Amino acid sequence: MAPDGPPITRPISCKQCGATPAASVQIRSHLGLLLWMRCKAVDGPFCSHCGIALIRVMTTKTLWQGWWGPLSLLATLFALHSNLDAYRDLRRLPRSAPPSARARSGMGKPVHRRPPAYVALIPLCCAIWLLTSLIGSAS
Ligand SMILES: [Zn+2]
């Protein structure tokens, strides 16, 4: 017999550590190769700790591996923007502890403290050089 009354809603818990609260976010990475590309998406829910740790890893990979294909520019920008949205959602969650003695790994360094992330400056500098060359040759 089904109970009467409003349905019981439970807060969603992190799929990695079980902590609550968690947010349903999707975290992406992109690998651009000369002739093909590979997009990866990991669905939550994640607590702020586990989600931000995963965002740091996948965003750093995207920053140094995402640009190396002719069609990868848009896919890389999409992955980075999507991860920024997920990061904002996770930052709004209060800090939480895992519900039991489950151990969580550390969050790792922020993206700006990971040297591979700065590989993204190479295609950015090339794009700036190309644009300034086009503007210079047009005038
Ligand atoms: Zn977690």
Side-chain angles (χ1 to χ4, degrees), residues 14 17 47 50 104:
C14 176
C17 73
C47 67
C50 297
R104 286 197 293 206

Short mmCIF file of all heavy atoms in Angstrom, two decimals, residues 14 17 47 50 104, ligand 1:
data_model
loop_
_atom_site.label_atom_id
_atom_site.label_comp_id
_atom_site.label_asym_id
_atom_site.label_seq_id
_atom_site.Cartn_x
_atom_site.Cartn_y
_atom_site.Cartn_z
N CYS A 14 26.66 12.58 -3.74
CA CYS A 14 27.79 12.50 -4.67
C CYS A 14 27.99 11.05 -5.12
O CYS A 14 27.98 10.14 -4.30
CB CYS A 14 29.04 13.02 -3.97
SG CYS A 14 30.55 12.88 -4.95
N CYS A 17 31.72 9.94 -3.50
CA CYS A 17 31.97 9.76 -2.06
C CYS A 17 30.69 9.61 -1.25
O CYS A 17 30.76 9.27 -0.08
CB CYS A 17 32.81 10.92 -1.52
SG CYS A 17 31.91 12.47 -1.38
N CYS A 47 29.60 16.16 -5.22
CA CYS A 47 29.71 17.17 -4.17
C CYS A 47 30.73 18.20 -4.64
O CYS A 47 31.42 17.99 -5.65
CB CYS A 47 30.13 16.53 -2.84
SG CYS A 47 31.81 15.88 -2.83
N CYS A 50 34.53 16.64 -4.79
CA CYS A 50 34.83 15.70 -5.87
C CYS A 50 34.65 16.35 -7.24
O CYS A 50 35.43 16.11 -8.17
CB CYS A 50 33.93 14.47 -5.77
SG CYS A 50 34.16 13.51 -4.27
N ARG A 104 38.50 10.52 0.76
CA ARG A 104 38.47 11.27 -0.49
C ARG A 104 39.88 11.72 -0.78
O ARG A 104 40.63 12.08 0.12
CB ARG A 104 37.59 12.52 -0.35
CG ARG A 104 36.14 12.25 -0.34
CD ARG A 104 35.34 13.49 -0.62
NE ARG A 104 35.43 14.48 0.43
CZ ARG A 104 34.50 15.38 0.67
NH1 ARG A 104 33.40 15.40 -0.05
NH2 ARG A 104 34.65 16.27 1.61
ZN ZN B 1 32.05 13.66 -3.37
#
